Amino acid sequence: MPNPSGTLNERVDCLLREAFLSCGLPVEGARAVRATRPELGDMQCNGAMALGKSLRRNPRDLAAAVAAKLQESAAFDSVEVAGVGFINLRLSAALLADYARYQLDSERVGIERVATQVVMLDFGGPNVAKPLHVGHLRSLVIGESVRRILACQGHRTISDVHLGDWGLQMGMLIAEIRRLFPALPCFGASPSLDQAALPFDMQDLQQLYPRAAAACQADPERMNEAREATAQLQGGHPGYTMLWQAIRTISIDAQKRDFDALDVHFDLLLGESDVQSLIPGMVADLRERGIAVESEGALVIDVAEAGDASPLPPLILAKSDGAALYSTTDLATIVARAREPSLAKIVYVVDQRQALHFEQVFRAARRAGFVGNIELIHAGFGTVNGPDGKPYKTRQGGVAQLSDLLNAAIDKARERLAAIRAGTKTDAAEIDAGTGPETLATDADLDKLARQVGIGAVKFADLSSFRTLGYMFNPDRMVSFEGRTGPYVQYACVRIQSILTRARDQGISIGTMLPEHAAERALLLECARFPEVVKSAAANLAPNELTDYVFGLAQAFSRFYSECPVLAADTAALQGSRLAMSTLCLRVLAQGLYLLGISVPDRM
Ligand code: ARG
């Protein structure tokens, strides 16, 4: 057998290289890809065509020579030349079983640690005193999945939430609170503040902020007040600073609960405020070096480049009133982050509509020499849309809050699960096929389960298409047990778990895998693709490649299970073989779901 580690594809490539070499051919084209027509083989090599061109030889002859060599290997059942010089490869049962065994014995079913870069991830980005909204949901869901995918490849990831805790919104809130509670001791001559005795909580803040913002929009005087409060806060006003700290604490506590509920992990809970002290020095330095220049009363950095289709507007570093801006803060954050030893990349998982902002900030950072070799990447995402195809709004027309969305999905999940338990739901034909009562949830865990299924469904739907595309938020569809959904894949896991439990009860244990049946072969081939899919998802920062994959694998299992009985197989050897295949499939599915941030329920 070929080399003992590597992906299945790499093992086959290795054999192809040997064959090319022994035919005296260069190895560039010695690569196998998934077969485009599975009825002709499991994999194919298309290398002979390019080679034929460059060597001015008939590609079919080249393919035939390579195929003759490959036929000697025990790794292939058949090697056939087709068309103008395709080599179709049918893998032997021995090779398939050998690789499947390797996956089963490996801690993470064959995922290899291929890289060890330090990667900073900027996602979440909630704003203090404002509830998380639908845009933050996407950032959290995509960011967390990207974090898990990069970490499993061996990268050291550092996730930072980058709180919006500075700027005008804070001034608006402070001014509003001063109007409502003028007697608060933080507004007194010798300011103080007792966090435990505050007259407002997170819920109040969430109402206060939109009210304050609306008042400022409507009334220039209120806006002035807010601006003044902002300037005073940023100037270090002791009472305002206390109040700001208190608001920040309340807000972060509430957001941490949201992160926990979503199973999202942050290494750092830093915010815009944490880099404000760097700004004056940074601005002075940029001015001195002539990178920042005065233009129409503002201080700007020119970021236009020769190849631009239309000239990029300059980054505004400071307006005439000197107040810090979103861009200035992001630039200073890069200065702070670049101090992290051996940092290779910063990945920003932020709304695609901020693409121009990031392009300006990245160019300015490079021009200023802040980043050296650190790669700056904006992994943008599209909007979550309502049924009208426009950005999702609440029924009242406001911005949908995170909790509205999650609750809609959780309620739907509870309804579906309850219906299945009551036997009134035939929505999923799968539900009855091959499952015993042990897969059903009891009353006690129905609530927990509804959360697990509802949130899993939202995440799966969110990660189903490439991140830059928008998607439609439709709880009814995303919580379905049929089709390309989270619950479908979760349910496949529950079914396999139930088979494993029954096998244990009947004293059946895992045996040598003997892939003979087409559905068995297809299942193992699909399991074998997992490490490659993870690698590609990491390279493209594209969790959607994994949602596609786990859905396909769940389908492959479904076919396998309907054609190849496990517990009722004819012989003990076959029982043991199929049990091993089912176990491998479950582990791959669970690992795939984990990388998407989705948990596997015990029962459904
Ligand atoms: N707080 C911002 C928002 O709500 C997102 C922050 C994204 N990260 C960054 N470094 N700018 O739109």
Side-chain angles (χ1 to χ4, degrees), residues 210-238:
R211 227 171 48 210
C216 290
Q217 287 312 326
D219 181 353
E221 184 157 336
R222 297 286 295 262
M223 186 57 108
N224 269 341
E225 253 172 53
R227 287 231 168 82
E228 214 163 283
T230 310
Q232 282 180 301
L233 170 70
Q234 300 190 343
H237 184 292

Side-chain angles (χ1 to χ4, degrees), residues 7-65:
T7 63
L8 182 60
N9 234 297
E10 281 162 3
R11 292 186 188 197
V12 172
D13 286 353
C14 185
L15 294 167
L16 282 169
R17 272 197 302 276
E18 281 169 24
F20 272 61
L21 280 175
S22 66
C23 292
L25 296 171
V27 295
E28 276 73 60
R31 260 199 310 275
V33 294
R34 211 175 167 197
T36 45
R37 292 176 57 192
E39 67 281 10
L40 299 181
D42 304 316
M43 293 186 185
Q44 65 187 59
C45 171
N46 307 334
M49 267 72 76
L51 213 51
K53 227 178 231 157
S54 63
L55 300 179
R56 293 169 183 285
R57 285 171 60 185
N58 180 348
R60 229 191 125 90
D61 295 345
L62 296 177

Side-chain angles (χ1 to χ4, degrees), residues 122 124-127 133 136 161-164 272 326 330 333 337 348-350 354 357-358:
D122 178 317
N127 299 311
H133 64 67
H136 297 122
V161 70
H162 199 73
L163 287 174
E272 297 178 0
Y326 187 50
D330 258 327
T333 305
R337 286 176 177 166
Y348 295 79
V349 183
V350 183
Q354 296 190 26
H357 161 77
F358 283 109

Side-chain angles (χ1 to χ4, degrees), residues 103-351:
Q103 279 191 292
L104 198 54
D105 291 341
S106 124
E107 193 194 328
R108 282 166 319 141
V109 284
I111 299 178
E112 294 167 86
R113 292 191 182 276
V114 292
T116 48
Q117 286 185 330
V118 180
V119 182
M120 181 93 71
L121 292 162
D122 178 317
F123 65 93
N127 299 311
V128 162
K130 293 199 227 170
L132 292 177
H133 64 67
V134 49
H136 297 122
L137 172 71
R138 277 215 94 177
S139 180
L140 288 166
V141 169
I142 298 170
E144 175 66 10
S145 178
V146 167
R147 185 185 76 77
R148 292 182 186 208
I149 292 170
L150 293 181
C152 89
Q153 292 280 280
H155 292 295
R156 186 164 86 77
T157 56
I158 305 171
S159 52
D160 181 8
V161 70
H162 199 73
L163 287 174
D165 61 355
W166 208 238
L168 187 60
Q169 80 221 36
M170 301 310 310
M172 287 179 174
L173 207 55
I174 289 172
E176 179 77 10
I177 292 172
R178 197 180 47 197
R179 275 175 174 266
L180 290 171
F181 310 102
L184 265 187
C186 64
F187 300 124
S190 48
S192 67
L193 197 66
D194 176 6
Q195 178 102 27
L198 288 174
F200 50 79
D201 61 11
M202 185 61 197
Q203 240 136 29
D204 302 324
L205 285 177
Q206 294 188 351
Q207 318 246 301
L208 280 178
Y209 176 75
R211 227 171 48 210
C216 290
Q217 287 312 326
D219 181 353
E221 184 157 336
R222 297 286 295 262
M223 186 57 108
N224 269 341
E225 253 172 53
R227 287 231 168 82
E228 214 163 283
T230 310
Q232 282 180 301
L233 170 70
Q234 300 190 343
H237 184 292
Y240 288 2
T241 305
M242 287 170 192
L243 182 57
W244 168 75
Q245 276 291 2
I247 296 171
R248 197 173 179 275
T249 305
I250 295 177
S251 215
I252 291 180
D253 285 349
Q255 284 164 356
K256 274 191 195 154
R257 283 193 293 275
D258 284 330
F259 302 153
D260 284 347
L262 283 170
D263 208 0
V264 167
H265 173 84
F266 286 105
D267 299 299
L268 303 172
L269 290 173
L270 295 176
E272 297 178 0
S273 67
D274 289 285
V275 297
Q276 296 307 314
S277 63
L278 298 178
I279 290 180
M282 177 184 83
V283 171
D285 164 60
L286 291 169
R287 211 194 261 276
E288 214 164 279
R289 288 193 284 142
I291 292 171
V293 295
E294 303 281 350
S295 165
E296 296 169 27
L299 192 62
V300 307
I301 301 180
D302 179 19
V303 291
E305 284 174 9
D308 293 342
S310 59
L312 215 62
L315 175 141
I316 302 177
L317 205 55
K319 283 204 195 145
S320 40
D321 65 1
L325 296 158
Y326 187 50
S327 309
T328 322
T329 302
D330 258 327
L331 202 55
T333 305
I334 290 179
V335 171
R337 286 176 177 166
R339 292 176 185 157
E340 179 67 38
S342 9
L343 184 65
K345 279 181 194 163
I346 310 176
V347 179
Y348 295 79
V349 183
V350 183
D351 196 319

